[in-house]
Amino acid sequence: MLFLYGNTQKTGIFGAHKYAYTMDMLEEILKLSGFTSIEISRETTNFNIRAVKGEKRSPRVKLIISGQDSGGLGGAEFFLLNLANSIKESGVSVEFTTVNKSRFSTILLENHFTSHTIPIRMDAIGNWKGLVKFIIFTPLTAIIDMMILYKFKEKGGTTILIPGISDKALLTPLAWLLGLSTVWIEFAPLKPTFKRNFYFPKIIYKLVKNLPDLVITPTRRTQLSVLHDAWVTEPKTRILPCGIKLPKSKVRPMHNSQFIIGNISRLQKEKGQDTLIKSLPIIRKRIPNAKLVLVGEGSYFNELHKLALKLKVEKHVEFKGFVENVQVILSKFSVFAFPTRWEIEGFGLVPLEAMSAGIPVVASTHPPVPEVLGDSALFTHPDHKSFAEAIIKLAKNSDLQKTFISKGYKKVREYDIKQVAEKYIKELRNLETIKH
């Protein structure tokens, strides 16, 4: 016998149980668990269920991942690439849909993925020009996308995975019409994004929010945003972490004559590289051989370079630009610094990659970083004085370095991309079990 509350949001009978279950939802849960229902009856606000255990079967899944909203190569793109590779290694067919001649489409082709392209990037959450372009070209893009998805289904496609808000608005209704299972990934809290462009992202999101079969978030923080800011029902959500490719063996950091403070991230104000440049004069008073190495590209480069000149530390700050082999550059760092203050920070994969390379991490207390890293990093407030003090503290204490290196090696095993891919595959197969 199983008692579960009815979902008052869906039934319209309002009460205390905002996120719970309807009879249809319970049927789905029983199928996922390998049960066949004999009888489901109501008892006040509860359900009385009788069911028998049956044999669980793994249905076939063929996946297409949307990358049409990709504006470059960042953590989200590399996560999707690594996830797709791991899913493919498990025997599940994976394709992509992207923007023609984008950096993401190029790297997908290099990794031997089929990539269906559209001619224009549709971005409803950027600046006003992107919004105007989105509105003007939506009819044309919708036709192209419908052709892509129709052919995908004709070839046995079952499921579409959609991360970007613009892609969700365009592709979700088309997938629904074609009967494809639709899974959203929501990397970051929605409230800051909803405020952009006269709340247009919020409007289009809420128009389609009831259509996806599943909404995946990498952290509890983002899940709460999906529940409270978008009113997606909780049974439709799952928390599945992002993941990284772990090195086959422990990487031994290189010994340098300098103390190298490293950061790998897109160069933008919210990522906090200016915090590290401002902290460098303080650090060098205590650690004269300290050097800052910034890896990544972005629109904030000129401002960061001017700041280094202003503080007269330009000789001790090196801008590496885009680096393809992250593990090689990580091995040269003495410490990895992650000073993010971005209000839509989704996860933070690079600190985990640093930990997998045996590099101790000093990280911002800005969420969701503590949720992801646990006790495996030295946390500090994201201002330059606090970061300087934390980095000096770590540099002067070899035992503390060893502690965080050890904790880091242990923590990253929780985010092995192969394990993450297995969780995704399980959820995708569960959806097909429900539908068939």
Side-chain angles (χ1 to χ4, degrees):
M1 187 179 291
L2 175 65
F3 292 96
L4 293 168
Y5 292 115
N7 188 318
T8 57
Q9 184 184 26
K10 189 168 181 178
T11 62
I13 305 170
F14 294 101
H17 318 301
K18 184 176 178 182
Y19 302 113
Y21 301 93
T22 64
M23 195 173 291
D24 290 340
M25 290 177 182
L26 289 173
E27 287 278 14
E28 293 180 3
I29 291 170
L30 290 169
K31 288 178 182 178
L32 291 178
S33 303
F35 285 90
T36 301
S37 64
I38 299 173
E39 180 186 9
I40 301 180
S41 59
R42 291 182 179 276
E43 186 173 327
T44 63
T45 60
N46 301 314
F47 290 104
N48 188 353
I49 299 171
R50 287 197 304 131
V52 293
K53 183 73 173 176
E55 182 181 351
K56 292 182 72 174
R57 297 181 180 179
S58 296
R60 181 189 58 82
V61 173
K62 184 173 182 179
L63 179 67
I64 187 168
I65 301 175
S66 171
Q68 294 180 3
D69 199 12
S70 171
L73 291 178
E77 286 78 14
F78 283 110
F79 165 66
L80 291 174
L81 176 63
N82 290 331
L83 178 67
N85 274 317
S86 293
I87 290 176
K88 187 168 68 172
E89 288 172 4
S90 298
V92 176
S93 174
V94 183
E95 299 178 9
F96 279 85
T97 172
T98 58
V99 179
N100 188 36
K101 296 182 180 179
S102 66
R103 293 183 68 179
F104 192 36
S105 66
T106 301
I107 199 169
L108 289 172
L109 291 174
E110 291 172 356
N111 281 265
H112 310 292
F113 281 103
T114 298
S115 181
H116 310 276
T117 60
I118 61 170
I120 303 166
R121 182 190 175 207
M122 303 291 282
D123 180 19
I125 66 172
N127 56 33
W128 67 269
K129 293 180 181 179
L131 175 60
V132 171
K133 187 171 69 173
F134 179 89
I135 295 170
I136 292 173
F137 289 103
T138 287
L140 173 62
T141 305
I143 293 170
I144 298 172
D145 281 335
M146 177 59 91
M147 293 174 61
I148 291 171
L149 295 183
Y150 179 79
K151 291 178 181 178
F152 171 69
K153 186 176 182 182
E154 285 290 294
K155 294 187 296 181
T158 62
T159 311
I160 182 168
L161 186 65
I162 313 176
I165 286 183
S166 302
D167 290 2
K168 291 179 175 84
L170 283 167
L171 294 166
T172 302
L174 303 178
W176 179 78
L177 287 171
L178 291 170
L180 293 169
S181 297
T182 305
V183 179
W184 287 2
I185 302 180
E186 208 58 73
F187 286 114
L190 292 166
K191 195 171 184 178
T193 303
F194 277 174
K195 294 178 181 178
R196 296 177 181 176
N197 288 334
F198 315 104
Y199 287 88
F200 185 77
K202 183 176 183 178
I203 295 169
I204 60 175
Y205 195 98
K206 292 203 171 185
L207 285 173
V208 297
K209 74 178 181 67
N210 292 323
L211 297 181
D213 300 284
L214 187 66
V215 180
I216 293 173
T217 67
T219 64
R220 175 62 174 165
R221 176 190 183 225
T222 299
Q223 185 195 41
L224 289 174
S225 174
V226 168
L227 299 178
H228 298 156
D229 298 325
W231 283 75
V232 174
T233 55
E234 189 166 8
K236 191 179 278 190
T237 65
R238 301 288 187 278
I239 300 176
L240 300 182
C242 296
I244 63 170
K245 289 175 65 176
L246 297 184
K248 294 180 180 179
S249 58
K250 284 187 178 182
V251 180
R252 292 185 177 181
M254 298 173 60
H255 294 286
N256 296 291
S257 58
Q258 292 179 298
F259 183 83
I260 298 180
I261 305 158
N263 173 270
I264 301 175
S265 185
R266 187 178 286 124
L267 300 182
Q268 60 188 78
K269 187 174 182 179
E270 297 83 0
K271 287 294 187 178
Q273 289 95 346
D274 59 331
T275 295
L276 298 180
I277 293 175
K278 290 175 183 177
S279 72
L280 194 56
I282 301 172
I283 294 170
R284 283 185 55 80
K285 287 179 181 179
R286 297 286 304 279
I287 310 170
N289 66 336
K291 176 184 178 181
L292 176 61
V293 175
L294 300 176
V295 179
E297 299 174 332
S299 58
Y300 203 40
F301 169 78
N302 288 334
E303 286 79 359
L304 292 172
H305 188 256
K306 289 176 183 177
L307 179 62
L309 289 169
K310 180 181 177 181
L311 297 176
K312 299 179 180 179
V313 292
E314 71 278 4
K315 293 181 180 178
H316 312 292
V317 178
E318 183 178 359
F319 294 91
K320 284 284 190 180
F322 176 76
V323 173
E324 189 167 342
N325 193 331
V326 173
Q327 288 295 325
V328 171
I329 193 72
L330 279 171
S331 66
K332 299 177 181 179
F333 293 166
S334 306
V335 61
F336 183 86
F338 193 63
T340 183
R341 54 179 181 265
W342 199 16
E343 60 182 351
I344 56 171
E345 186 67 62
F347 198 77
L349 286 171
V350 188
L352 294 172
E353 292 180 321
M355 289 176 179
S356 73
I359 308 301
V361 173
V362 175
S364 163
T365 52
H366 189 81
V369 183
E371 179 184 347
V372 175
L373 302 184
D375 66 349
S376 60
L378 178 59
F379 289 103
T380 187
H381 191 271
D383 67 86
H384 72 280
K385 290 182 180 179
S386 297
F387 254 83
E389 290 172 4
I391 290 170
I392 291 168
K393 179 181 178 180
L394 192 65
K396 297 291 185 180
N397 190 331
S398 59
D399 289 337
L400 191 61
Q401 293 177 36
K402 291 175 183 177
T403 296
F404 283 117
I405 289 171
S406 177
K407 287 183 176 183
Y409 277 133
K410 184 178 179 180
K411 173 58 70 172
V412 293
R413 289 201 291 269
E414 299 176 17
Y415 301 108
D416 182 352
I417 192 63
K418 293 181 180 179
Q419 295 180 20
V420 172
E422 288 174 4
K423 294 176 182 178
Y424 267 81
I425 292 169
K426 180 181 177 181
E427 294 294 343
L428 297 177
R429 285 178 173 157
N430 284 345
L431 286 180
E432 294 313 305
T433 299
I434 292 169
K435 286 202 168 187
H436 304 288

